[in-house]
């Protein structure tokens, strides 16, 4: 699965908040066990990552609706084994559920 999502990093590790905390539009590409970020679909096809970011590994990842985040709608949370935590905003409920299910089965 792939598509545009708005992303905010909340945690850098289990005990450290992320330093860069603004929401950014990123083109997300889900592959077996990893999630990669690109500026847009063209960059994704060319394999040019967003700000040189290495795809995140989804081993031990927890993905669920971000019920505790009230500022935006259709936001889900992704917590990685190393403590990194991201929020992602989808365009609607259907798209959000689709991402969560795909991430959980990737
Ligand atoms: C952040 C930006 C985010 C905001 C975050 C700010 O500032 O305004 O939108 O998160 O608040 O730090 P900057 O763009 O200067 O990095 P929310 O939208 O969730 O409020 P936070 O530090 O309380 O997470």
């Amino acid at each position: 699965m792939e598509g545009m999502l708005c992303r905010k990093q909340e945690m850098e590790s289990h005990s450290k908040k992320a330093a860069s905390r603004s929401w950014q539009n990123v083109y997300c590409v889900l592959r077996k066990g990893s999630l990669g970020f690109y500026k847009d679909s063209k960059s994704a096809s060319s394999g040019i990552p967003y700000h040189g970011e290495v795809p995140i590994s989804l081993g031990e990842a927890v993905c669920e609706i971000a019920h505790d985040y009230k500022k935006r709608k259709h936001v889900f949370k992704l917590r990685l084994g190393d403590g990194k935590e991201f929020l992602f905003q989808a365009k609607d409920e259907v798209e959000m559920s689709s991402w969560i299910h795909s991430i959980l089965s990737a």
Side-chain angles (χ1 to χ4, degrees):
M1 175 167 186
E2 58 184 77
M4 210 71 184
L5 288 171
C6 205
R7 180 190 73 176
K8 178 190 178 190
Q9 186 170 2
E10 287 276 31
M11 299 297 290
E12 181 56 47
S13 67
H14 291 287
S15 54
K16 195 175 169 220
K17 279 191 161 195
S20 169
R21 316 187 46 82
S22 49
W23 285 94
Q24 295 163 321
N25 286 314
V26 286
Y27 191 82
C28 304
V29 178
L30 184 63
R31 298 209 171 81
K32 192 92 206 118
S34 78
L35 182 63
F37 303 108
Y38 305 87
K39 181 169 172 281
D40 50 29
S41 63
K42 192 162 161 269
S43 303
S45 336
S46 320
I48 303 164
Y50 184 75
H51 294 285
E53 291 182 21
V54 177
I56 57 178
S57 169
L58 297 174
E60 299 174 63
V62 177
C63 188
E64 61 194 10
I65 296 175
H67 289 295
D68 55 341
Y69 190 82
K70 312 277 187 204
K71 295 180 186 173
R72 292 180 176 220
K73 285 182 166 185
H74 321 306
V75 175
F76 64 94
K77 182 182 295 189
L78 177 63
R79 193 178 307 114
L80 307 181
D82 63 5
K84 280 197 182 71
E85 194 175 300
F86 297 90
L87 295 177
F88 292 96
Q89 183 184 29
K91 73 171 193 308
D92 56 29
E93 204 75 18
V94 172
E95 193 188 74
M96 178 181 71
S97 300
S98 178
W99 273 106
I100 294 174
H101 287 117
S102 302
I103 288 172
L104 290 176
S105 54

